[in-house]
Structures are given as C-alpha cells and as structure tokens.
Amino acid sequence: MPENASGGSSSSSSLLIRGKNPRRCQAENPLKLLSEFAEPALNHAEQWEWKCGFYPGCDRSTGGPAGTFNQARAAFEAEWELLLPSLTEADFQAWRDQRDWIERKQAMWARGEKLPSQQPSSLMRCPCGATFDSHRPAESQIHTPHIYAAQKRDGIRR
C-alpha cells in the first residue's frame, strides 16, 4: 500500500497528496478535478488580458492583465491611441499580405494540394546559374566541377 504524507499507509481509494501541487495530485489520481484543489486565492487573480499590436508589420506589442473586461478594453484603447500614429500604410499592408498568404495556403491544403516547397523535386541550380535535373546524369555531369569548386570556395566538405 502507498504511504500517505504522514508516513502511514493509506487505502487504495484515498489520494496520496504531497504538498499542495494540484497537477501532482491530479497526476496521481486523474479522476480528481483540478477545481477540487483550487483555493479561493486563485479566483481573485485578474481574469482578463489585453494585447495591442500585430504581426507582421508592427514591431511593438504591449499588453497586460486587467480585472474586468471594461478595464482591459480601456487599457487597450489607450495603448492603441499611442501606437496608431507611429504605424504606416506599409505596416498594415504587411499584415494584409500575410493574412492573404495564409488564406491561400490553407485553401490549397483544403483542396489536398501541396505548396511548391512541399513537392519533391530533383531540379538544382548550379553555381553557374543554370538549372538542371540532378537525376539525369547527362545534364548534371557538366555542372559537377562548378558545384565542387563552389563547395571548396565556401569551405563545405562532403
């Protein structure tokens, strides 16, 4: 039988509690809900969090906790009034471009398509600038000296 916190044995139906760590208690008895271990102090924490900024486009982001929704909204609006004058149309366009790219990418995946970077390809670009198929020896042999010279120049050992 397992020992309880006082060193004595406990029945198999009781919960072994070491300290007041609710995650440990739940790990030892998954049927216990974390709410059963919550102390009143946990409910007094500020329940709202606000963030002001966006990515990409805005290199400054601020935020913080708030006790109520209205406090969070007021803090956000005050920070937005400070941030907005420093932003340019290019900042907003960077965000729009990213949003549009994500939409196109997800639409491709929904149709079962892969991105070009996810499709295997045997095409290579030689340091001389030519593109060739590395699976065709007749095409790739003439580029071998260029590749080896570039590797030697760049300190790449294979």
Side-chain angles (χ1 to χ4, degrees):
M1 277 193 188
E3 292 185 1
N4 62 22
S6 63
S9 63
S10 64
S11 69
S12 60
S13 63
S14 66
L15 176 65
L16 175 63
I17 298 177
R18 298 181 196 109
K20 288 198 176 223
N21 183 335
R23 292 282 180 205
R24 178 182 287 164
C25 295
Q26 188 181 35
E28 292 169 358
N29 185 350
L31 300 176
K32 278 284 203 195
L33 298 174
L34 285 177
S35 61
E36 294 179 39
F37 299 104
E39 297 178 8
L42 294 177
N43 295 328
H44 289 61
E46 293 182 316
Q47 300 295 314
W48 294 92
E49 183 174 1
W50 62 273
K51 293 196 182 298
C52 183
F54 53 90
Y55 176 83
C58 178
D59 58 355
R60 187 174 128 215
S61 179
T62 58
T68 67
F69 174 78
N70 288 334
Q71 290 171 345
R73 184 177 183 149
F76 169 83
E77 288 177 351
E79 187 62 31
W80 182 249
E81 291 299 319
L82 296 172
L83 179 62
L84 187 58
S86 68
L87 299 174
T88 66
E89 180 57 31
D91 296 329
F92 291 104
Q93 190 59 48
W95 181 85
R96 287 185 208 107
D97 292 345
Q98 179 71 12
R99 176 200 61 196
D100 296 345
W101 159 242
I102 291 171
E103 187 178 315
R104 287 191 310 273
K105 176 178 70 171
Q106 290 174 343
M108 285 179 68
W109 288 344
R111 292 188 304 265
E113 299 173 5
K114 291 184 177 183
L115 299 174
S117 61
Q118 295 173 316
Q119 296 174 358
S121 173
S122 60
L123 294 180
M124 293 180 65
R125 182 172 300 279
C126 180
C128 72
T131 300
F132 64 95
D133 188 344
S134 62
H135 289 189
R136 295 187 178 179
E139 289 182 30
S140 60
Q141 286 178 344
I142 61 173
H143 298 288
T144 304
H146 307 149
I147 294 170
Y148 288 156
Q151 288 174 342
K152 185 175 182 180
R153 179 190 69 229
D154 297 339
I156 299 171
R157 295 183 0 204
R158 301 220 186 246

